[in-house]
Amino acid sequence: MKGIWAKNLIERINTTLAFSYDFGMETEFDLKCVVASCYKIYVDGEFLAFGPQRSAHGYARIMDYKAKGKVVTFLVYSPYINSFCWIKQKPYFACEMVAGDKVVTAQDFTCRFLNDRVQKVPKYSYQRCFLEIYRMEEDRRSVIMGKSDIPTVETCEVALPKLLPAYVNEPKYNIHYPVKIISRGNVDIDESIPVWREYMIHDLVGKKVANNSQGKLLDTGVVEGYTADEWEEASLDEVIKFVYNPNGDYVNSDLNYKILDFGRGITSFSELKVTAKNHGVLYLIFDELLSKDKRGVKFVNFKRQGWTNVIKWNIQKGGEFNLASFEPYTVRYACIVASKGISADIRLRDYENPDCYDFALECDDERVQKIISAAKATFAQNAVDVLTDCPSRERAGWLCDSYFSSESEFLLTGRNDVERTFLENYALSEYTVFPKGMVQMCYPADPYDTYIPNWGMFYLLELEKFARRYGKDDKLVKDSLCKVQGLVDYFEKFENELCLLEDLEGWVFVEWSDAGQKERLCGVNTVSNITYARALVSAGYLLDNDKYIKKAQVMRKNIKEYAFNGEFFVDNLVRDESGKLKRTEYLSEVCQYAAFWFECATKEEYPETYAELMNNLGVQRKDGYRPEIAKANVFYGLYMRMDLIVREGKKKIVLDECIKLFLPMAEMTGTLWELNDPGASCNHGFASYVLVWLKFALQ
């Protein structure tokens, strides 16, 4: 296959092209394609697929489809900026369709530049690319059917990366309709409401950022996008001023709205059937939760979690329009705001891993069954191509999260196709922006701010787990060994006289809790050292090098000698004026969980510490009890706690704590969350690991 792209548009930011081919008659064909960055395929106007499955810089995965039809159209989107979601690469479109003896290639397609998507707009989130804002002169269905009046553009041949297979099965793209209308009415505009500028999304565009424990700027380039003074349109500046009146006249008002509930959070493409009697505007505002304003009026808060859940279409003339979001977003509640004379119906086309719903784990307790369903939905939405953290804000393949969600994958599907894709991308990565030996915290991505050294440690743990499951002779394992050695070499330069890591660089991350405060992370951070000691055991196994296992033993001995204060392990050690290491007084739950979960300490060695931790702390801790010990959060102290309960064989406690922790999540969004409150993503891949505990408890 040979790649093509529109001439003179290769480095244009936020660009969409349409490639169409007409067989002349209905034809059965096999289709292979290689496309960057993402695409939708339509056959005779009907949606076929979204892709690709992501790969490392310099590589692409060949996607295979079978179809039947006359007109085939690819809509191909190239953001061409750095992000956590797509790697920044020059765009390409390569395709081969085989129908009997007939072979059609990319060069046989006509190409159109779709200028209906507004180019200079805000970013959707800090981690993803651009907001979707459109100016619709005609229905895109005309383009999809190859009948558009938009002129064709000249293409040129472009280079293709190295080609790889795709391992994960294609989603089923099931259709979902609203289960009920929450409210409807009219919308007033309050010009006194100030515009909203999220620092992480808007103020950092065009700047280098510091997002690590030392506050250092890394030479990783700026956050790319458009600054506020460059925006052609900014739907966020309009929606922020909306005041919703649920009892207002929604027929005759200039702007009307309706809020719809889809029953659970669904990662999906929103598809709208629109009838417009005249020109006007249409906004789709969405979120995982329903909010209330100061008056108690229910509304959908587009900026609740610091990203921008709004899509805007400027309808330039009357007519029928088939509108859709190009990329997937997570929706439970959808608010449609439209000008007078414009009406719209919405449905969602889900984007989920198709292989997990056959897994059956039955329980007579309806509460537990809700958690099981939420966990399966959470995994499905975070495992379409790589193991992601959340399918909304980031869509990024994060380490550590993947350690847990890979176990969910094996339980649900009996294999690890998604994890193999994820780890293969790491093995192939030659990303050299960060210090030699350090792996990216998330990938495929171009993370422009920092790296998490702790996630490099979890990478070693996950590789060991993969190797024990599939063998050390597995090609993926062998191809990853240079990364293993590189990480060990990287960490060696931070070892002090006790073989403990001191003053780690990057974003030292142990948990979303007070344990993550800078004063607890500096010097010799206990959780980081406990983690690395276990990671060295993994490295020793993978590299057949007992030296690393022996070093881990030395580390554990010194952690117990220097970090234990007689009752608990302190969060860190720091140097006094004489240069001697001294314990701080900082204590956290996660530090204790880590000590036992990573097998640095045993309950036989520390029976009183273990008993206090497991009997009086965690989710059942009473208000005001031991305030000097920072509470653990879901990610990931409470997950370690639950694993420890499983090791104890206490099935009833597992069920009780799962219900207390996860039932509110399952009932509120139908998915499981990153934190133990809805302050961040309400759909986080690692959270599906609850299935491992429930299987233990129910069997």
Side-chain angles (χ1 to χ4, degrees):
M1 288 191 287
K2 293 183 178 181
I4 61 170
W5 195 253
K7 211 169 187 178
N8 303 320
L9 294 178
I10 292 173
E11 295 188 2
R12 186 183 189 272
I13 294 172
N14 198 15
T15 299
T16 307
L17 300 183
F19 295 90
S20 296
Y21 180 82
D22 191 338
F23 279 103
M25 59 183 294
E26 187 175 77
T27 305
E28 291 187 4
F29 57 94
D30 295 326
L31 185 156
K32 294 181 183 292
C33 64
V34 182
V35 185
S37 283
C38 56
Y39 62 84
K40 284 183 172 180
I41 309 175
Y42 293 86
V43 178
D44 291 344
E46 297 298 318
F47 177 89
L48 175 66
F50 176 86
Q53 292 180 22
R54 287 170 286 181
S55 54
H57 290 79
Y59 294 85
R61 299 190 183 278
I62 302 175
M63 306 302 297
D64 293 274
Y65 307 96
K66 290 183 179 294
K68 181 179 180 180
K70 177 175 176 286
V71 179
V72 180
T73 297
F74 283 76
L75 301 183
V76 184
Y77 175 59
S78 172
Y80 201 60
I81 62 169
N82 51 13
S83 76
F84 288 22
C85 181
W86 304 106
I87 60 173
K88 183 180 180 181
Q89 58 185 325
K90 291 186 178 180
Y92 49 82
F93 166 69
C95 179
E96 182 178 278
M97 298 189 295
V98 178
D101 295 333
K102 184 180 180 65
V103 178
V104 177
T105 67
Q107 286 76 6
D108 298 314
F109 282 71
T110 58
C111 176
R112 291 181 172 87
F113 165 48
L114 301 185
N115 62 358
D116 54 7
R117 181 164 178 170
V118 182
Q119 181 187 19
K120 296 180 180 180
V121 299
K123 284 170 64 73
Y124 166 77
S125 69
Y126 178 68
Q127 298 87 351
R128 290 181 67 174
C129 297
F130 294 106
L131 280 179
E132 296 191 40
I133 302 178
Y134 298 89
R135 295 174 184 158
M136 306 304 299
E137 291 283 356
E138 68 173 20
D139 188 358
R140 270 197 176 181
R141 186 170 178 82
S142 301
V143 175
I144 291 167
M145 293 300 295
K147 298 179 179 179
S148 175
D149 293 331
I150 298 174
T152 60
V153 295
E154 184 181 357
T155 62
C156 61
E157 187 173 329
V158 295
L160 291 181
K162 298 175 184 177
L163 303 184
L164 300 169
Y167 303 128
V168 185
N169 289 331
E170 186 70 12
K172 293 182 178 178
Y173 303 109
N174 299 304
I175 299 297
H176 303 259
Y177 293 93
V179 297
K180 63 180 176 181
I181 297 177
I182 299 295
S183 65
R184 63 193 310 165
N186 67 3
V187 178
D188 289 331
I189 308 298
D190 185 348
E191 294 292 352
S192 69
I193 298 175
V195 296
W196 171 71
R197 293 291 181 270
E198 164 58 39
Y199 171 72
M200 290 291 286
I201 306 177
H202 309 120
D203 290 349
L204 289 180
V205 171
K207 301 174 183 177
K208 289 187 177 182
V209 294
N211 185 18
N212 56 71
S213 58
Q214 290 77 37
K216 295 179 181 178
L217 286 171
L218 300 171
D219 189 20
T220 56
V222 301
V223 181
E224 295 177 344
Y226 292 106
T227 57
D229 60 347
E230 296 176 295
W231 296 344
E232 298 174 65
E233 284 198 52
S235 50
L236 67 162
D237 287 354
E238 300 158 13
V239 174
I240 192 69
K241 298 178 182 295
F242 287 178
V243 178
Y244 300 92
N245 303 307
N247 299 315
D249 183 349
Y250 60 84
V251 176
N252 299 308
S253 299
D254 290 340
L255 281 178
N256 60 79
Y257 83 94
K258 60 181 176 181
I259 298 175
L260 305 162
D261 181 6
F262 283 88
R264 69 167 173 89
I266 304 171
T267 301
S268 54
F269 307 95
S270 297
E271 299 180 343
L272 294 88
K273 182 74 173 177
V274 177
T275 299
K277 297 179 181 178
N278 43 256
H279 70 85
V281 293
L282 178 70
Y283 301 88
L284 175 62
I285 305 161
F286 53 92
D287 195 16
E288 298 163 285
L289 297 175
L290 197 60
S291 300
K292 288 185 180 180
D293 66 16
K294 293 179 180 179
R295 303 167 298 159
V297 173
K298 295 176 181 178
F299 76 109
V300 178
N301 186 353
F302 76 93
K303 64 179 181 64
R304 178 181 60 86
Q305 298 174 2
W307 54 79
T308 317
N309 284 337
V310 56
I311 302 172
K312 178 187 177 184
W313 291 271
N314 298 283
I315 308 296
Q316 304 292 79
K317 60 183 179 181
E320 302 287 331
F321 293 87
N322 296 275
L323 307 178
S325 66
F326 193 89
E327 293 191 64
Y329 305 94
T330 305
V331 180
R332 173 168 181 178
Y333 298 99
C335 178
I336 299 173
V337 177
S339 298
K340 180 180 178 180
I342 297 177
S343 61
D345 294 316
I346 184 173
R347 67 183 191 180
L348 303 179
R349 185 183 297 273
D350 69 29
Y351 188 52
E352 299 184 341
N353 185 302
D355 297 327
C356 68
Y357 286 110
D358 291 336
F359 173 81
L361 185 60
E362 301 298 331
C363 178
D364 294 336
D365 191 325
E366 183 181 346
R367 299 171 300 171
V368 176
Q369 204 59 52
K370 285 181 180 178
I371 297 171
I372 292 170
S373 296
K376 290 165 70 172
T378 298
F379 174 81
Q381 295 174 64
N382 283 286
V384 185
D385 59 345
V386 298
L387 298 171
T388 61
D389 61 336
C390 62
S392 51
R393 175 186 64 217
E394 301 186 18
R395 301 196 61 79
W398 280 83
L399 291 168
C400 188
D401 298 67
S402 61
Y403 179 89
F404 295 96
S405 54
S406 60
E407 286 300 295
S408 306
E409 180 185 11
F410 188 75
L411 176 63
L412 289 167
T413 71
R415 56 189 189 273
N416 289 97
D417 296 341
V418 186
E419 184 187 28
R420 182 176 290 277
T421 303
F422 175 77
L423 291 176
E424 183 180 73
N425 290 340
Y426 268 94
L428 295 172
S429 171
E430 297 180 358
Y431 201 67
T432 57
V433 172
F434 299 134
K436 183 178 180 181
M438 178 49 59
V439 296
Q440 304 89 303
M441 57 190 182
C442 58
Y443 197 70
D446 295 288
Y448 22 73
D449 53 355
T450 189
Y451 56 92
I452 301 179
N454 309 65
W455 280 193
M457 302 172 194
F458 265 93
Y459 175 69
L460 300 178
L461 294 170
E462 185 171 351
L463 271 176
E464 181 199 355
K465 181 159 60 75
F466 189 92
R468 291 189 182 278
R469 181 169 287 161
Y470 296 104
K472 290 168 71 173
D473 290 333
D474 188 286
K475 184 178 184 301
L476 169 59
V477 176
K478 290 183 176 180
D479 289 346
S480 304
L481 294 183
C482 60
K483 295 290 193 299
V484 175
Q485 188 63 62
L487 277 165
V488 174
D489 293 344
Y490 169 82
F491 284 114
E492 278 185 347
K493 65 186 179 182
F494 295 98
E495 293 178 6
N496 63 17
E497 69 275 14
L498 299 176
C499 286
L500 299 179
L501 303 179
E502 187 170 357
D503 292 331
L504 280 171
E505 295 179 355
W507 177 15
V508 180
F509 183 90
V510 298
E511 191 184 47
W512 290 122
S513 71
D514 286 347
Q517 294 175 348
K518 288 183 179 180
E519 59 268 25
R520 297 170 182 252
L521 299 173
C522 62
V524 177
N525 177 255
T526 307
V527 174
S528 299
N529 275 280
I530 288 171
T531 308
Y532 186 57
R534 181 59 186 85
L536 273 178
V537 175
S538 297
Y541 169 77
L542 291 165
L543 297 171
D544 294 315
N545 193 331
D546 289 341
K547 177 180 71 173
Y548 300 133
I549 298 173
K550 291 176 181 177
K551 183 185 290 187
Q553 294 170 348
V554 173
M555 289 185 69
R556 287 169 167 171
K557 176 181 176 295
N558 288 332
I559 289 167
K560 289 185 282 191
E561 179 178 347
Y562 287 87
F564 190 70
N565 69 2
E567 188 177 13
F568 294 106
F569 292 91
V570 300
D571 283 2
N572 58 332
L573 311 172
V574 295
R575 302 279 177 180
D576 63 15
E577 293 179 356
S578 67
K580 186 177 180 180
L581 280 173
K582 295 288 188 180
R583 284 188 293 269
T584 67
E585 295 181 354
Y586 298 119
L587 299 173
S588 64
E589 273 190 57
V590 69
C591 189
Q592 318 314 312
Y593 292 133
F596 294 104
W597 193 79
F598 284 111
E599 299 174 326
C600 178
T602 67
K603 66 176 184 176
E604 289 77 19
E605 291 176 295
Y606 301 92
E608 294 179 357
T609 303
Y610 189 81
E612 176 70 2
L613 179 66
M614 302 307 293
N615 296 335
N616 297 322
L617 300 180
V619 297
Q620 84 281 13
R621 187 203 289 213
K622 295 179 181 178
D623 289 343
Y625 183 74
R626 303 296 299 250
E628 74 277 13
I629 304 176
K631 290 184 178 181
N633 212 322
V634 173
F635 191 61
Y636 46 72
L638 293 180
Y639 268 51
M640 292 179 173
R641 173 187 178 83
M642 201 72 74
D643 269 349
L644 292 172
I645 297 172
V646 169
R647 291 179 193 177
E648 292 288 301
K650 297 178 179 179
K651 294 186 176 184
K652 184 179 185 305
I653 296 178
V654 168
L655 284 176
D656 290 345
E657 294 205 3
C658 279
I659 290 169
K660 186 168 185 177
L661 187 58
F662 297 109
L663 182 61
M665 304 179 189
E667 291 182 331
M668 194 174 297
T669 63
T671 50
L672 303 180
W673 308 348
E674 177 180 12
L675 308 179
N676 52 10
D677 63 69
S681 164
C682 294
N683 187 333
H684 221 79
F686 86 95
S688 62
Y689 186 74
V690 67
L691 290 166
V692 175
W693 306 323
L694 292 177
K695 181 185 178 185
F696 156 78
L698 296 173
Q699 293 182 349

